[in-house]
Amino acid sequence: MDNSKAWSKNIQDANKENILSSFQEDSFQRNWLVMNFVRQLSNAQGPLSISLDSPWGSGKTFFVKKAKMLIENVDSKNEFWKKFCADLNKEDIARIRDIIPVYYDAWQNDNDTDPILSILYSIAENEEIKDRAGMSKKIDREKLKESLGNILYLAVDVGINPLAAKVLKGIKSFADSWTRPELFAAYEKQQKANKALRSAIEKFFFDIRESYCLNKTEQELNRKKIIIFIDELDRCRPDFAVRLLERVKHYADLPNVIFVMSTNLIELQYMVRNVYGEGFDAARYLDRFFDIHMILPEIQDNIIFSYFNIFSNMKNEIVLRAIIQYFKMSLREISRYIKWYRIVELYENSRFAGKLLNGWCFCIYYVFPYMIALKLINLSRYQLFISGDLQEASGFASFIIDADIMSESTIKRLFPDKDNEPEKKKENLIKEITTVLTALWHDDNALNADDEIYQGDGMEICRSFGPNMIKQLSLIAN
């Protein structure tokens, strides 16, 4: 097998070229899902907020960027897109054409002053929005700037702008000394400012929708809708994520505006509790902001293994498949794991024979790939494992048995003294593997002694491992 090809796959950056390639190759068989998702969005009416839920590293960014690219190319004359969209009827295409898609990376922008201002600024500066790809007329850039400037001015009175601290200082610091009429007047002023800001933001989105209308009729305008894909919400600062949800609800819950927030809801709940306290009902809180919850289906294991060329007809690949499933790795983690494994991959050495070969095989096929996975997934457990922790050693041994990746013949070859009584089979094998791993990390005699001097269960494997193998392991151990 050509290893240079077998391990060449990886999860690439979600840039335009790779997104298009993902459409063309459809390696993870998600094209149909993207198509249905876009069709559903084309039927939706704003105001609407949708959560697209999926674990970290499961391909959410690729998915929403594919959705955006499909929307932008639904009526393209390009042969690929014409063929890809052939199953869409005229009504589908017309509705999708009326979508104005926007992509916003919350993680890249979480250092901005305020989420809603950050989103609006990103839209105003988005070249694809301003240039209106494929359209005959461009958005009036000066008009957008004027609208955004008005929004920033109004945001001062509301308190979501850096300058607001000076404007509202009296209310926050000296409220006790104010009379009730003065307090009411200050409160009334802020409420009016809130309404004015919301109106200004609504006009901002209205201007964008109107600029996409060729005939400027009310019917055409009502068909236009803006869909904002907010990505990486679960990776940005907790306070920024919470404020983003609240700002969107208070100021951008508007007609013909739809927010699609790709996130891991479990992680997002942790972030909410980080802001409001451990006892806070984060799940109910999030339900206030999302009208619809969607779940991005997991990619089937056989599709993932096929993409990474991890087949079941070779010993090392059987073990890798079992390890990936055991640790429930995401796509991103699998990609990193395969890269890492290949860099430090070890092979059988024909110079060894008998017990030496047995020991070497045990280490390169079972111990080594498990160690790499542990270091990638759980560094604290990895440190315990290489320090000879009995519980971690026993956990590894249990994995070997439960995953059923070591045949009876292999067990007998590697551990010839194993008790074959069925009721004690697993218990004894776990004990023997644990002995091997414990000696491997702690018993110098096992590595240096001659066969005649040092004997013991599993020690031939430790000796076959040898100092050179220990040095190889240091590539990932340090």
PDB file of all heavy atoms in Angstrom, residues 113-133:
ATOM      1  N   THR A 113     -15.957  45.834  20.345  1.00  0.00           N
ATOM      2  CA  THR A 113     -16.631  46.473  21.478  1.00  0.00           C
ATOM      3  C   THR A 113     -17.980  45.850  21.777  1.00  0.00           C
ATOM      4  O   THR A 113     -18.289  45.496  22.909  1.00  0.00           O
ATOM      5  CB  THR A 113     -16.814  47.979  21.192  1.00  0.00           C
ATOM      6  OG1 THR A 113     -15.532  48.550  20.938  1.00  0.00           O
ATOM      7  CG2 THR A 113     -17.462  48.660  22.383  1.00  0.00           C
ATOM      8  N   ASP A 114     -18.798  45.688  20.747  1.00  0.00           N
ATOM      9  CA  ASP A 114     -20.137  45.157  20.964  1.00  0.00           C
ATOM     10  C   ASP A 114     -20.555  44.314  19.770  1.00  0.00           C
ATOM     11  O   ASP A 114     -20.284  44.685  18.615  1.00  0.00           O
ATOM     12  CB  ASP A 114     -21.142  46.283  21.164  1.00  0.00           C
ATOM     13  CG  ASP A 114     -22.493  45.749  21.624  1.00  0.00           C
ATOM     14  OD1 ASP A 114     -22.671  45.614  22.845  1.00  0.00           O
ATOM     15  OD2 ASP A 114     -23.338  45.449  20.760  1.00  0.00           O
ATOM     16  N   PRO A 115     -21.209  43.180  20.006  1.00  0.00           N
ATOM     17  CA  PRO A 115     -21.545  42.255  18.920  1.00  0.00           C
ATOM     18  C   PRO A 115     -22.428  42.849  17.828  1.00  0.00           C
ATOM     19  O   PRO A 115     -22.155  42.649  16.644  1.00  0.00           O
ATOM     20  CB  PRO A 115     -22.280  41.117  19.646  1.00  0.00           C
ATOM     21  CG  PRO A 115     -21.819  41.178  21.045  1.00  0.00           C
ATOM     22  CD  PRO A 115     -21.571  42.620  21.328  1.00  0.00           C
ATOM     23  N   ILE A 116     -23.485  43.575  18.193  1.00  0.00           N
ATOM     24  CA  ILE A 116     -24.403  44.066  17.167  1.00  0.00           C
ATOM     25  C   ILE A 116     -23.722  45.095  16.278  1.00  0.00           C
ATOM     26  O   ILE A 116     -23.895  45.103  15.045  1.00  0.00           O
ATOM     27  CB  ILE A 116     -25.699  44.645  17.794  1.00  0.00           C
ATOM     28  CG1 ILE A 116     -26.758  44.873  16.710  1.00  0.00           C
ATOM     29  CG2 ILE A 116     -25.419  45.930  18.563  1.00  0.00           C
ATOM     30  CD1 ILE A 116     -27.234  43.611  16.051  1.00  0.00           C
ATOM     31  N   LEU A 117     -22.896  45.958  16.878  1.00  0.00           N
ATOM     32  CA  LEU A 117     -22.150  46.924  16.072  1.00  0.00           C
ATOM     33  C   LEU A 117     -21.130  46.209  15.193  1.00  0.00           C
ATOM     34  O   LEU A 117     -20.907  46.596  14.035  1.00  0.00           O
ATOM     35  CB  LEU A 117     -21.449  47.934  16.972  1.00  0.00           C
ATOM     36  CG  LEU A 117     -22.354  48.748  17.908  1.00  0.00           C
ATOM     37  CD1 LEU A 117     -21.517  49.711  18.740  1.00  0.00           C
ATOM     38  CD2 LEU A 117     -23.420  49.492  17.130  1.00  0.00           C
ATOM     39  N   SER A 118     -20.521  45.163  15.733  1.00  0.00           N
ATOM     40  CA  SER A 118     -19.548  44.383  14.974  1.00  0.00           C
ATOM     41  C   SER A 118     -20.192  43.711  13.771  1.00  0.00           C
ATOM     42  O   SER A 118     -19.643  43.712  12.661  1.00  0.00           O
ATOM     43  CB  SER A 118     -18.908  43.324  15.885  1.00  0.00           C
ATOM     44  OG  SER A 118     -18.008  42.516  15.169  1.00  0.00           O
ATOM     45  N   ILE A 119     -21.378  43.135  13.963  1.00  0.00           N
ATOM     46  CA  ILE A 119     -22.095  42.475  12.864  1.00  0.00           C
ATOM     47  C   ILE A 119     -22.446  43.483  11.773  1.00  0.00           C
ATOM     48  O   ILE A 119     -22.222  43.243  10.578  1.00  0.00           O
ATOM     49  CB  ILE A 119     -23.370  41.784  13.391  1.00  0.00           C
ATOM     50  CG1 ILE A 119     -22.990  40.587  14.274  1.00  0.00           C
ATOM     51  CG2 ILE A 119     -24.250  41.319  12.232  1.00  0.00           C
ATOM     52  CD1 ILE A 119     -24.175  39.972  14.999  1.00  0.00           C
ATOM     53  N   LEU A 120     -22.986  44.631  12.183  1.00  0.00           N
ATOM     54  CA  LEU A 120     -23.392  45.648  11.207  1.00  0.00           C
ATOM     55  C   LEU A 120     -22.194  46.197  10.440  1.00  0.00           C
ATOM     56  O   LEU A 120     -22.257  46.426   9.230  1.00  0.00           O
ATOM     57  CB  LEU A 120     -24.136  46.783  11.910  1.00  0.00           C
ATOM     58  CG  LEU A 120     -25.451  46.395  12.601  1.00  0.00           C
ATOM     59  CD1 LEU A 120     -26.057  47.604  13.302  1.00  0.00           C
ATOM     60  CD2 LEU A 120     -26.436  45.801  11.618  1.00  0.00           C
ATOM     61  N   TYR A 121     -21.091  46.396  11.154  1.00  0.00           N
ATOM     62  CA  TYR A 121     -19.882  46.895  10.493  1.00  0.00           C
ATOM     63  C   TYR A 121     -19.367  45.866   9.481  1.00  0.00           C
ATOM     64  O   TYR A 121     -18.952  46.222   8.372  1.00  0.00           O
ATOM     65  CB  TYR A 121     -18.805  47.202  11.530  1.00  0.00           C
ATOM     66  CG  TYR A 121     -17.525  47.729  10.929  1.00  0.00           C
ATOM     67  CD1 TYR A 121     -17.424  49.066  10.536  1.00  0.00           C
ATOM     68  CD2 TYR A 121     -16.431  46.902  10.752  1.00  0.00           C
ATOM     69  CE1 TYR A 121     -16.263  49.553   9.972  1.00  0.00           C
ATOM     70  CE2 TYR A 121     -15.252  47.375  10.192  1.00  0.00           C
ATOM     71  CZ  TYR A 121     -15.171  48.709   9.797  1.00  0.00           C
ATOM     72  OH  TYR A 121     -14.018  49.186   9.244  1.00  0.00           O
ATOM     73  N   SER A 122     -19.399  44.579   9.870  1.00  0.00           N
ATOM     74  CA  SER A 122     -18.946  43.519   8.964  1.00  0.00           C
ATOM     75  C   SER A 122     -19.794  43.490   7.700  1.00  0.00           C
ATOM     76  O   SER A 122     -19.279  43.279   6.596  1.00  0.00           O
ATOM     77  CB  SER A 122     -19.015  42.161   9.665  1.00  0.00           C
ATOM     78  OG  SER A 122     -18.117  42.107  10.756  1.00  0.00           O
ATOM     79  N   ILE A 123     -21.101  43.706   7.855  1.00  0.00           N
ATOM     80  CA  ILE A 123     -21.986  43.736   6.686  1.00  0.00           C
ATOM     81  C   ILE A 123     -21.662  44.938   5.806  1.00  0.00           C
ATOM     82  O   ILE A 123     -21.569  44.832   4.572  1.00  0.00           O
ATOM     83  CB  ILE A 123     -23.459  43.777   7.133  1.00  0.00           C
ATOM     84  CG1 ILE A 123     -23.836  42.471   7.845  1.00  0.00           C
ATOM     85  CG2 ILE A 123     -24.380  44.004   5.936  1.00  0.00           C
ATOM     86  CD1 ILE A 123     -25.215  42.487   8.467  1.00  0.00           C
ATOM     87  N   ALA A 124     -21.472  46.087   6.437  1.00  0.00           N
ATOM     88  CA  ALA A 124     -21.193  47.310   5.680  1.00  0.00           C
ATOM     89  C   ALA A 124     -19.886  47.211   4.905  1.00  0.00           C
ATOM     90  O   ALA A 124     -19.746  47.783   3.813  1.00  0.00           O
ATOM     91  CB  ALA A 124     -21.151  48.506   6.620  1.00  0.00           C
ATOM     92  N   GLU A 125     -18.914  46.479   5.459  1.00  0.00           N
ATOM     93  CA  GLU A 125     -17.599  46.367   4.822  1.00  0.00           C
ATOM     94  C   GLU A 125     -17.474  45.125   3.948  1.00  0.00           C
ATOM     95  O   GLU A 125     -16.426  44.882   3.365  1.00  0.00           O
ATOM     96  CB  GLU A 125     -16.511  46.344   5.896  1.00  0.00           C
ATOM     97  CG  GLU A 125     -16.308  47.678   6.586  1.00  0.00           C
ATOM     98  CD  GLU A 125     -15.881  48.752   5.600  1.00  0.00           C
ATOM     99  OE1 GLU A 125     -14.887  48.559   4.879  1.00  0.00           O
ATOM    100  OE2 GLU A 125     -16.572  49.789   5.539  1.00  0.00           O
ATOM    101  N   ASN A 126     -18.535  44.330   3.856  1.00  0.00           N
ATOM    102  CA  ASN A 126     -18.482  43.084   3.093  1.00  0.00           C
ATOM    103  C   ASN A 126     -18.507  43.389   1.599  1.00  0.00           C
ATOM    104  O   ASN A 126     -19.485  43.917   1.079  1.00  0.00           O
ATOM    105  CB  ASN A 126     -19.686  42.203   3.484  1.00  0.00           C
ATOM    106  CG  ASN A 126     -19.568  40.801   2.926  1.00  0.00           C
ATOM    107  OD1 ASN A 126     -19.328  40.613   1.741  1.00  0.00           O
ATOM    108  ND2 ASN A 126     -19.731  39.819   3.792  1.00  0.00           N
ATOM    109  N   GLU A 127     -17.417  43.069   0.929  1.00  0.00           N
ATOM    110  CA  GLU A 127     -17.312  43.391  -0.499  1.00  0.00           C
ATOM    111  C   GLU A 127     -18.376  42.674  -1.314  1.00  0.00           C
ATOM    112  O   GLU A 127     -18.869  43.206  -2.309  1.00  0.00           O
ATOM    113  CB  GLU A 127     -15.911  43.002  -1.013  1.00  0.00           C
ATOM    114  CG  GLU A 127     -14.784  43.832  -0.434  1.00  0.00           C
ATOM    115  CD  GLU A 127     -14.921  45.312  -0.793  1.00  0.00           C
ATOM    116  OE1 GLU A 127     -15.450  45.623  -1.874  1.00  0.00           O
ATOM    117  OE2 GLU A 127     -14.513  46.161   0.022  1.00  0.00           O
ATOM    118  N   GLU A 128     -18.729  41.447  -0.910  1.00  0.00           N
ATOM    119  CA  GLU A 128     -19.729  40.700  -1.672  1.00  0.00           C
ATOM    120  C   GLU A 128     -21.099  41.371  -1.574  1.00  0.00           C
ATOM    121  O   GLU A 128     -21.881  41.356  -2.522  1.00  0.00           O
ATOM    122  CB  GLU A 128     -19.807  39.266  -1.160  1.00  0.00           C
ATOM    123  CG  GLU A 128     -18.537  38.475  -1.437  1.00  0.00           C
ATOM    124  CD  GLU A 128     -18.570  37.103  -0.797  1.00  0.00           C
ATOM    125  OE1 GLU A 128     -19.501  36.841  -0.014  1.00  0.00           O
ATOM    126  OE2 GLU A 128     -17.681  36.295  -1.087  1.00  0.00           O
ATOM    127  N   ILE A 129     -21.389  41.942  -0.396  1.00  0.00           N
ATOM    128  CA  ILE A 129     -22.658  42.660  -0.247  1.00  0.00           C
ATOM    129  C   ILE A 129     -22.629  43.949  -1.056  1.00  0.00           C
ATOM    130  O   ILE A 129     -23.558  44.279  -1.787  1.00  0.00           O
ATOM    131  CB  ILE A 129     -22.926  42.985   1.237  1.00  0.00           C
ATOM    132  CG1 ILE A 129     -23.213  41.692   2.009  1.00  0.00           C
ATOM    133  CG2 ILE A 129     -24.083  43.953   1.394  1.00  0.00           C
ATOM    134  CD1 ILE A 129     -24.520  41.039   1.631  1.00  0.00           C
ATOM    135  N   LYS A 130     -21.533  44.694  -0.940  1.00  0.00           N
ATOM    136  CA  LYS A 130     -21.460  45.992  -1.606  1.00  0.00           C
ATOM    137  C   LYS A 130     -21.434  45.858  -3.123  1.00  0.00           C
ATOM    138  O   LYS A 130     -22.041  46.640  -3.844  1.00  0.00           O
ATOM    139  CB  LYS A 130     -20.212  46.740  -1.123  1.00  0.00           C
ATOM    140  CG  LYS A 130     -20.323  47.238   0.311  1.00  0.00           C
ATOM    141  CD  LYS A 130     -19.158  48.087   0.725  1.00  0.00           C
ATOM    142  CE  LYS A 130     -17.859  47.322   0.773  1.00  0.00           C
ATOM    143  NZ  LYS A 130     -16.768  48.110   1.363  1.00  0.00           N
ATOM    144  N   ASP A 131     -20.707  44.838  -3.608  1.00  0.00           N
ATOM    145  CA  ASP A 131     -20.557  44.694  -5.052  1.00  0.00           C
ATOM    146  C   ASP A 131     -21.690  43.920  -5.699  1.00  0.00           C
ATOM    147  O   ASP A 131     -21.820  43.915  -6.920  1.00  0.00           O
ATOM    148  CB  ASP A 131     -19.225  44.000  -5.371  1.00  0.00           C
ATOM    149  CG  ASP A 131     -18.040  44.879  -5.013  1.00  0.00           C
ATOM    150  OD1 ASP A 131     -18.245  46.079  -4.837  1.00  0.00           O
ATOM    151  OD2 ASP A 131     -16.932  44.340  -4.898  1.00  0.00           O
ATOM    152  N   ARG A 132     -22.486  43.232  -4.881  1.00  0.00           N
ATOM    153  CA  ARG A 132     -23.652  42.518  -5.388  1.00  0.00           C
ATOM    154  C   ARG A 132     -23.270  41.670  -6.585  1.00  0.00           C
ATOM    155  O   ARG A 132     -23.665  41.937  -7.721  1.00  0.00           O
ATOM    156  CB  ARG A 132     -24.756  43.490  -5.772  1.00  0.00           C
ATOM    157  CG  ARG A 132     -25.207  44.382  -4.641  1.00  0.00           C
ATOM    158  CD  ARG A 132     -26.356  45.269  -5.048  1.00  0.00           C
ATOM    159  NE  ARG A 132     -27.486  44.455  -5.444  1.00  0.00           N
ATOM    160  CZ  ARG A 132     -28.501  44.912  -6.173  1.00  0.00           C
ATOM    161  NH1 ARG A 132     -28.504  46.155  -6.590  1.00  0.00           N
ATOM    162  NH2 ARG A 132     -29.495  44.136  -6.488  1.00  0.00           N
ATOM    163  N   ALA A 133     -22.493  40.626  -6.338  1.00  0.00           N
ATOM    164  CA  ALA A 133     -22.003  39.753  -7.396  1.00  0.00           C
ATOM    165  C   ALA A 133     -23.157  39.257  -8.271  1.00  0.00           C
ATOM    166  O   ALA A 133     -24.154  38.753  -7.777  1.00  0.00           O
ATOM    167  CB  ALA A 133     -21.267  38.571  -6.787  1.00  0.00           C
TER     168      ALA A 133
END
